[in-house]
């Protein structure tokens, strides 16, 4: 798990769209998607329900986003 992956998760959670989130993160959409997929595999949990438009957080995804916000805020303080 990396800070960058968590930032990508927060971007998708905010914009509810992988393409828009990737544009605001200054990476390609495949890069962003791949990094989120790697994180989901590492956590053995789906963060987003991709079958709905706009994209929605899963129940565990909501908890991950809440914790990611704390981690990003704390890392910025360093």
């Amino acid at each position: 798990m990396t800070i960058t992956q968590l930032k990508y998760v927060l971007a998708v959670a905010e914009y509810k769209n992988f393409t828009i989130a990737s544009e605001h993160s200054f990476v390609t959409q495949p890069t962003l998607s791949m990094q989120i997929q790697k994180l989901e595999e590492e956590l053995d949990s789906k963060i987003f329900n991709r079958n709905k438009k706009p994209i929605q957080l899963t129940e565990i995804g909501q908890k991950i986003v809440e914790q990611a916000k704390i981690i990003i805020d704390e890392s910025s303080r360093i």
Side-chain angles (χ1 to χ4, degrees), residues 1 5-6 9 18 33-50 56-65:
M1 175 182 323
Q5 288 172 322
L6 296 177
V9 167
F18 279 82
S33 295
M34 181 184 65
Q35 289 301 313
I36 290 177
Q37 184 177 7
K38 283 183 177 183
L39 180 60
E40 288 177 325
E41 289 171 3
E42 181 179 340
L43 297 174
D44 195 28
S45 298
K46 289 290 180 190
I47 300 170
F48 298 102
N49 180 350
R50 294 164 174 83
Q56 295 180 347
L57 288 165
T58 62
E59 188 174 330
I60 190 75
Q62 182 62 46
K63 293 176 183 176
I64 290 168
V65 165

Side-chain angles (χ1 to χ4, degrees), residues 1-18 20-22 24-25 32 35-36 39-40 43 47-48 55-57 60-76:
M1 175 182 323
T2 67
I3 297 293
T4 301
Q5 288 172 322
L6 296 177
K7 287 180 179 180
Y8 293 164
V9 167
L10 293 181
V12 175
E14 179 179 351
Y15 297 107
K16 296 178 177 29
N17 181 292
F18 279 82
I20 295 170
S22 68
H24 286 271
S25 300
L32 182 133
Q35 289 301 313
I36 290 177
L39 180 60
E40 288 177 325
L43 297 174
I47 300 170
F48 298 102
I55 292 169
Q56 295 180 347
L57 288 165
I60 190 75
Q62 182 62 46
K63 293 176 183 176
I64 290 168
V65 165
E66 290 170 12
Q67 190 62 42
K69 287 178 184 177
I70 294 168
I71 293 167
I72 298 299
D73 288 345
E74 290 298 316
S75 71
S76 296

